[in-house]
Amino acid sequence: MSESGLRERKKQRMFQELSDVAIRLFLERGFDAVPVAEVAAAAEVSKPTLFRYFPAKEDLVLYRIADHMEEAARVVGEADVPPLDALRRHFLDGLRRHDPVTGLNDAPEVLAFHSLLYGTPALAARVMAYQERSEAALAEVLGGDLDARLAAAQIVAVLRVLALENWRRIAAGERAADLEAEAMAAAERAFERLERGLPGLRADGSGSPG
């Protein structure tokens, strides 16, 4: 491996280690109760070093889901079917796999992370900012104009609400396996409504929102 490749692997490893240490501390004591200086000390780095990797405290947590922020755009961009067909298939596959991103996962560590993420106001607000990035990336793939931006906003909102509803019910005590059929049916209904509102993105449309 080249020297630049080794540096990149080391950099990514540091991102992961800092995020893991921070999340462990936040889960133990709460996001607001753990200062950044303590995270840096636990990770055995200086505070300035930590801020070079993560400019904001919230980013230490959001790093774990950062790869998913442009997932909708990637799915549409790589698909050989119309956008809504590709996104429907991808989300339903995620539900079948109990992908944590769909909210349909009752593993204790996943439930704890989601509780931290959605139960902390500062983190919940940061998630919304990440979702704006997701909208922008999807809109670009869909054409980049106003119609594309409106379509992307609707799609990302639907995916967010579906995932939050699944997490809410699991957090209330339901099991993922028992909830799966209902979650699949809810997703199907949601995509049917999207298709009625965005006919250009469905199988019998043109493939673009305009």
Side-chain angles (χ1 to χ4, degrees):
M1 181 177 292
S2 67
E3 185 176 344
S4 62
L6 288 171
R7 284 198 302 268
E8 183 60 26
R9 284 186 61 183
K10 183 178 179 180
K11 181 179 178 181
Q12 292 306 315
R13 188 163 59 247
M14 179 62 78
F15 271 113
Q16 189 66 58
E17 289 175 358
L18 291 172
S19 177
D20 287 347
V21 168
I23 289 172
R24 174 176 56 79
L25 292 172
F26 297 153
L27 289 174
E28 289 174 356
R29 291 169 37 214
F31 180 80
D32 294 326
V34 180
V36 171
E38 185 173 340
V39 175
E44 299 182 342
V45 300
S46 68
K47 189 174 176 181
T49 295
L50 185 147
F51 277 125
R52 282 203 300 271
Y53 285 89
F54 294 101
K57 181 181 178 182
E58 293 81 4
D59 292 335
L60 285 158
V61 179
L62 273 294
Y63 177 78
R64 184 168 289 185
I65 62 171
D67 288 346
H68 298 286
M69 289 301 103
E70 297 185 2
E71 190 168 271
R74 177 186 58 76
V75 168
V76 170
E78 295 177 355
D80 56 2
V81 296
L84 284 179
D85 290 355
L87 290 168
R88 177 204 292 261
R89 181 174 61 193
H90 181 74
F91 192 78
L92 292 177
D93 285 347
L95 290 173
R96 294 186 188 97
R97 292 184 284 105
H98 293 188
D99 188 330
V101 173
T102 68
L104 191 67
N105 188 302
D106 55 12
E109 62 274 15
V110 172
L111 188 56
F113 177 76
H114 283 165
S115 296
L116 171 69
L117 190 63
Y118 298 119
T120 306
L123 291 174
R126 195 72 169 189
V127 169
M128 295 301 294
Y130 270 57
Q131 288 173 337
E132 289 178 3
R133 285 170 44 192
S134 181
E135 285 182 22
L138 179 57
E140 187 65 26
V141 173
L142 293 176
D145 59 8
L146 177 60
D147 286 338
R149 296 198 301 274
L150 291 171
Q154 293 176 66
I155 292 167
V156 170
V158 164
L159 296 175
R160 176 180 62 84
V161 170
L162 288 171
L164 282 174
E165 176 64 9
N166 292 336
W167 169 75
R168 182 190 66 79
R169 293 183 63 174
I170 287 176
E174 296 188 56
R175 296 178 63 249
D178 296 336
L179 183 57
E180 182 178 328
E182 283 188 62
M184 297 278 287
E188 292 281 16
R189 291 196 306 273
F191 274 95
E192 286 171 4
R193 289 169 180 159
L194 278 174
E195 289 172 353
R196 288 198 295 270
L198 302 169
L201 299 183
R202 66 189 185 199
D204 57 353
S206 64
S208 64

